Amino acid sequence: MTKTVPARDSALDTAAHRQTRSARIVAALVHRWPTWLAIAFAAVLSSDLDDGREFAFLVFILALGYLATAVIDRPGAIWSVLGVLMAAVVLMRVLSGDPWPILIVTALALIMVGLVRGQLRRPGAFALQSPAMFVFGAIALGALHVHPDLGRYLVAAGLLGHAAWDAAHWRADGIVTRPFAEWCGVLDLLLGLAVLFLA
């Protein structure tokens, strides 16, 4: 003899199932907060896009942030490091108008300190930070000193290349935290595409 489930119990089970599914969706969305934050940043930054070369400093700053975090060897510090670097760029623009010389000197000093102290001589991602800084730095600086059309493509390549760099760091779960690597990767990808197709 089969036991019938009262309609009220069935309705309660269905409501509980819906609630559980909704909670899982909300939890998944909250878990992806770096992605949503990156989308918001990308929307704001690309809303006033000129020729795309204005993001050259971002290619440099993001690589510099990774380098600095590797040298201090504290993945969680990346958010503070990036905040300090961005504030320094704004301050330098207000005071002198050209932040590039100080940014370049900072990158070279960090490389020297990291090599002397040994952080940048460690195997894996640590040893790759100096070459990455040179590559992304050369792309960023080169974009400002060539024809604007070529410069735009260089910036887009730098941003998309850094998105791949972020993905590698997200997977390795080192140098920087995974939430930062996710945020940075999505931001780089969206801005790189914006420079390619909207500039």
Side-chain angles (χ1 to χ4, degrees):
M1 188 171 176
T2 57
K3 188 177 178 182
T4 56
V5 178
R8 182 171 171 275
D9 290 348
S10 179
L12 286 173
D13 287 346
T14 303
H17 179 69
R18 280 194 199 123
Q19 220 172 20
T20 304
R21 187 174 58 191
S22 297
R24 280 197 305 260
I25 290 170
V26 168
L29 291 174
V30 169
H31 185 65
R32 293 271 74 94
W33 67 265
T35 293
W36 307 121
L37 186 63
I39 291 169
F41 264 74
V44 170
L45 291 174
S46 60
S47 65
D48 191 25
L49 194 60
D50 187 16
D51 65 0
R53 293 188 306 158
E54 63 267 30
F55 292 142
F57 88 94
L58 195 57
V59 173
F60 195 98
I61 288 285
L62 293 173
L64 186 58
Y66 271 74
L67 175 67
T69 306
V71 170
I72 62 176
D73 198 10
R74 291 189 179 161
I78 183 60
W79 295 103
S80 301
V81 167
L82 186 63
V84 167
L85 289 172
M86 296 300 281
V89 167
V90 170
L91 184 62
M92 285 183 277
R93 282 190 170 168
V94 169
L95 296 178
S96 67
D98 187 9
W100 285 104
I102 294 174
L103 289 174
I104 293 167
V105 168
T106 302
L108 293 173
L110 281 170
I111 289 170
M112 288 173 53
V113 169
L115 290 172
V116 168
R117 291 178 59 191
Q119 285 93 340
L120 300 182
R121 287 185 278 119
R122 289 163 59 184
F126 282 90
L128 294 174
Q129 296 306 314
S130 297
M133 185 70 247
F134 283 116
V135 169
F136 289 118
I139 289 171
L141 291 167
L144 300 175
H145 294 93
V146 296
H147 188 275
D149 287 338
L150 178 57
R152 175 169 68 98
Y153 288 114
L154 280 173
V155 168
L159 288 167
L160 295 174
H162 203 271
W165 187 240
D166 295 319
H169 282 79
W170 184 90
R171 184 169 180 175
D173 196 16
I175 307 292
V176 298
T177 61
R178 272 192 165 168
F180 182 86
E182 180 181 334
W183 172 80
C184 194
V186 173
L187 180 66
D188 288 338
L189 177 63
L190 294 177
L191 291 181
L193 293 175
V195 169
L196 275 180
F197 298 112
L198 299 180

